[in-house]
Amino acid sequence: MFILCAMYKRGIVQVWSLEQPDWHCKIDEGSAGLVSSCWSPDGRHILNTSEFHLRITLWSLSAKSVSYIKYPKSCQQGITFTNDGRHMALAERRDCKDYISIFVCNDWRLLRHFETDTQDLDGIAWAPNGCVLAVWESCLEYKMLLYSLDGRLLSTYCAYEWSLGIKSVTWSPSSQFLAIGSFDEKVRILNHVTWKPIHELVHSATITDAKAVVYKEVERCPGIATDELTFPLPKGKPNSLFSIRSKYEIVNVPVTLRGVKPDSDRANPELGIGILAFSHDNRYMASKNDNMPYSVWIWNIQKMRLFSVVEHSSAVKSFVWHPIHPRLAICTGNTRVYLWSPTGSVSVQVPVEGMFNVLSMSWHPMGEDTLLLMSKENLCLCYLESEDNEN
């Protein structure tokens, strides 16, 4: 019921109410600066992180009060809430050591505070059931730690040593599996009973599995040559008659996927599993191997095998699962959005004037067939037609 707008360069957060248009709120962090801002699960508190991660300021919209949390750590994923919104875990750095603080969100009292067995903690993530907290080391060391709600170390997992380690982590919606993507181009699936790997998903450049369906995007231009036209085309607004058309074609295996050669001399090389996401019915998992950035891999989790590969003409920017159905939306930074389902794939042109390069997407959280598309300066709402409702 509220909209939050954060302006990091100015250090200001503004909030508007959808129910009361006359109500608004302005938060000025002043000289402390602002690097991130987020809602608490109850939608009545705002957490602002100051520059250099010196503190987190907790603003209450209902009580008009303010409190502070010291020593937040600057890392990839340092704040995480349980799905029920009851608890918040915060990664901290004190006296050159890593700590975790667990807070109760209804009154923000400290529930647990414990030191982690890490040298340089890089991220934390609650299991969807809120019983286990995953903590992982920076990419310089492969190390996954699993803690209970009361701070007990349940298990430690290390796949290999002396090489770049963990790059992406995600829980399955059922909390049964923990997927770990690493720089060795593999995804390891840990089970929730023994916290040992039950399968390794290898991302090979050549697809040989005859049961896997490989889709390849094919771009075609209409047969009209624009240089032979007697009238000029409008600048900046591509005409649908002359724009590039795109569609998917099924490719027979074996097939070799396009890739890029990572620069090993640069930090954060384009190598390894950069994005992981489970479908909300727990049946499929999508992944992206950064040194094969044009392809999205879709795995059947029930059978622990490759189900489909979708290869595009441009590098994949992001993908997101529908909150109910096994439907995956993919964008590559161009004027199209791509949809995958177990029954097929489709490429859709965004029907707007001018250039609308889709950089990120978000499904309607209540499960409606509405997709929010975002470019650098604009957004667009996409409604999926169905046989029941074609409005």
Side-chain angles (χ1 to χ4, degrees):
M1 301 310 298
F2 295 92
I3 295 176
L4 181 149
C5 174
M7 293 159 281
Y8 295 139
K9 291 184 178 180
R10 296 171 59 187
I12 293 176
V13 171
Q14 288 183 279
V15 185
W16 290 271
S17 171
L18 298 181
E19 290 182 328
Q20 305 176 28
D22 296 334
W23 184 94
H24 67 277
C25 169
K26 181 180 179 181
I27 300 172
D28 191 344
E29 292 290 348
S31 59
L34 182 68
V35 295
S36 70
S37 181
C38 68
W39 285 107
S40 65
D42 64 0
R44 295 297 181 269
H45 296 82
I46 298 173
L47 288 83
N48 289 343
T49 305
S50 66
E51 288 186 346
F52 310 109
H53 283 74
L54 297 178
R55 71 185 185 192
I56 291 178
T57 308
L58 181 65
W59 300 87
S60 173
L61 298 182
S62 54
K64 297 182 180 179
S65 62
V66 59
S67 55
Y68 302 96
I69 303 175
K70 293 183 178 181
Y71 313 115
K73 181 166 185 181
S74 175
C75 58
Q76 179 185 13
Q77 187 174 323
I79 300 179
T80 178
F81 295 93
T82 54
N83 278 5
D84 59 10
R86 294 178 60 186
H87 298 102
M88 179 189 80
L90 174 68
E92 300 178 358
R93 186 74 173 179
R94 304 185 184 189
D95 302 324
C96 300
K97 294 180 181 180
D98 292 327
Y99 294 88
I100 298 290
S101 289
I102 298 177
F103 296 87
V104 180
C105 292
N106 59 358
D107 56 3
W108 299 102
R109 59 185 169 87
L110 181 64
L111 181 66
R112 288 288 184 273
H113 177 75
F114 55 91
E115 183 181 351
T116 61
D117 187 19
T118 55
Q119 297 294 326
D120 184 15
L121 183 152
D122 193 49
I124 56 178
W126 283 109
N129 60 14
C131 295
V132 180
L133 180 67
V135 178
W136 59 94
E137 190 70 82
S138 71
C139 64
L140 297 180
E141 180 183 357
Y142 195 115
K143 193 174 187 179
M144 172 64 69
L145 306 168
L146 296 148
Y147 289 92
S148 63
L149 186 60
D150 58 0
R152 290 180 295 112
L153 179 61
L154 301 176
S155 182
T156 302
Y157 175 69
C158 176
Y160 53 83
E161 295 179 338
W162 315 116
S163 185
L164 291 177
I166 297 173
K167 191 168 188 179
S168 56
V169 176
T170 188
W171 287 93
S172 67
S174 64
S175 302
Q176 291 177 298
F177 304 118
L178 177 63
I180 307 173
S182 50
F183 281 87
D184 66 348
E185 305 177 52
K186 295 180 181 180
V187 177
R188 293 168 175 85
I189 309 292
L190 306 188
N191 72 85
H192 74 295
V193 179
T194 64
W195 302 113
K196 302 296 182 184
I198 59 175
H199 203 75
E200 288 187 0
L201 306 178
V202 182
H203 295 64
S204 302
T206 302
I207 308 298
T208 58
D209 188 353
K211 294 183 179 180
V213 181
V214 180
Y215 297 95
K216 185 174 183 179
E217 183 188 8
V218 178
E219 295 182 339
R220 288 190 175 92
C221 294
I224 303 176
T226 57
D227 55 354
E228 297 178 0
L229 295 175
T230 57
F231 57 90
L233 291 175
K235 295 182 179 179
K237 294 185 178 181
N239 193 295
S240 60
L241 293 174
F242 312 104
S243 60
I244 298 175
R245 306 295 175 86
S246 167
K247 70 173 185 176
Y248 283 119
E249 290 184 353
I250 297 179
V251 182
N252 296 325
V253 295
V255 60
T256 300
L257 304 177
R258 295 167 59 202
V260 295
K261 186 177 180 180
D263 188 355
S264 59
D265 295 331
R266 298 183 61 183
N268 301 316
E270 293 183 351
L271 177 69
I273 312 303
I275 310 177
L276 283 173
F278 279 93
S279 64
H280 288 265
D281 60 0
N282 220 58
R283 293 176 57 189
Y284 301 99
M285 184 187 72
S287 60
K288 176 194 171 188
N289 189 2
D290 286 347
N291 52 301
M292 287 180 269
Y294 307 98
S295 302
V296 175
W297 306 63
I298 297 151
W299 308 85
N300 186 323
I301 296 301
Q302 293 177 333
K303 299 181 179 179
M304 289 294 173
R305 68 170 181 85
L306 183 63
F307 187 83
S308 181
V309 177
V310 187
E311 187 179 34
H312 302 88
S313 301
S314 303
V316 174
K317 296 291 184 183
S318 67
F319 51 77
V320 59
W321 286 101
H322 190 279
I324 296 178
H325 306 294
R327 184 183 297 140
L328 185 69
I330 307 169
C331 68
T332 62
N334 56 20
T335 59
R336 293 182 288 272
V337 61
Y338 307 90
L339 299 173
W340 177 93
S341 72
T343 58
S345 296
V346 65
S347 169
V348 182
Q349 182 77 24
V350 180
V352 296
E353 293 185 0
M355 296 297 293
F356 188 96
N357 295 325
V358 184
L359 300 178
S360 60
M361 304 162 297
S362 177
W363 288 101
H364 192 289
M366 301 304 293
E368 298 181 12
D369 289 339
T370 307
L371 184 64
L372 177 66
L373 310 177
M374 287 161 281
S375 67
K376 187 176 181 180
E377 297 179 346
N378 301 287
L379 63 85
C380 174
L381 278 174
C382 170
Y383 297 92
L384 274 64
E385 292 183 352
S386 62
E387 295 181 357
D388 298 332
N389 181 17
E390 295 186 355
N391 294 329

